[in-house]
Amino acid sequence: MASPMRSLFTDPDRYLQSFRLFLANSTEHQCMQEFTERQLPAVIGSIGNGKSAINILSVGGGSGEIDLLILSKVQAIYPGVTINYDVIEPSADQIFKYKEHVAATSNLENVKFTWHEETAYEYESRMNAEKKSKKWDLIHMIQMLYYVKDVPATIRYFHTLLEEQAKLLIILVSGTSGWETLWKKYGSSFPLDDLCCYVSSADIKRILDSAGLKCQLHELPSHMDITSCFTEGNKDGEMLLDFLTETCEFSKTAPPELKHQVMEELRKPECSQERDGKVLFNNNLSVIVIEP
């Protein structure tokens, strides 16, 4: 009998709800903000040397909160320099929110935004068809490589678009995170179809090594409070379980044995630690900085 389990991506509203809950219960954005404040300036310190304009490409920019943080750092290093900021983002809803964030942000007079409502692959295909290959001083892909069909090809393509001093910045879950443990063990039991693939910094490192590309790795400690997942019938807990397994209504549709195994796994030290009565899932991220 076919499993009633279906991918969370088949219900965009529920996905967005669970994603917002994940952000509210995790230090995801805080750890990225901290990296942007403390370490990013050294990473991007030379991308605009001697340039009258800086070109930045955000691949999968979402609703733009982290993008705007990164942008503010570039502006601080290169005050007054014109910045051409292109955003590739397939979700019209996310682009709408992004534009709202831009409208509410001051000091963007020298920034020209262009939004492309398409996937990374559609962008690549369009550029190839138009025989264009614009070069960029900074390209970043934040938490988006899970949604591309061919990860090595996507990295290769965008790497070819780097200027001489440029950087390609990738942020995704760390190979030391609870995600890595959970997904390597149970990913094949979840109904992902081809909407999403599971990759961590460990996979990206292997891809870069085999392509002979140099990179620096920064680990960002992060956690998510999943205590509510262990209270039967807790709405937030059920939603977070959906997000962890990328499964719509996981607690109601998963086979009992799978649900039992996943709940046990989530409590293990490879996935989470218990602190002050809370279960904190290891949500560590990695920043991978790739040279031209």
Side-chain angles (χ1 to χ4, degrees), residues 162-189:
L162 292 177
E163 287 281 17
E164 274 174 39
Q165 300 281 335
K167 298 283 189 284
L168 171 56
L169 195 73
I170 294 172
I171 301 182
L172 80 173
V173 297
S174 167
T176 65
S177 68
W179 295 101
E180 174 84 343
T181 307
L182 182 67
W183 280 81
K184 286 286 185 271
K185 236 180 194 178
Y186 295 105
S188 57
S189 306

Side-chain angles (χ1 to χ4, degrees), residues 246-261:
E246 302 288 14
T247 303
C248 204
E249 310 238 13
F250 176 79
S251 20
K252 293 188 177 72
T253 62
E257 183 53 24
L258 176 64
K259 184 182 172 185
H260 174 71
Q261 288 173 343

Side-chain angles (χ1 to χ4, degrees), residues 140-167:
H140 56 75
M141 305 171 164
I142 299 172
Q143 291 288 46
M144 61 70 66
L145 279 174
Y146 321 111
Y147 311 112
V148 303
K149 292 270 191 294
D150 186 336
V151 176
T154 301
I155 293 174
R156 269 198 310 274
Y157 170 70
F158 285 102
H159 183 260
T160 65
L161 305 183
L162 292 177
E163 287 281 17
E164 274 174 39
Q165 300 281 335
K167 298 283 189 284

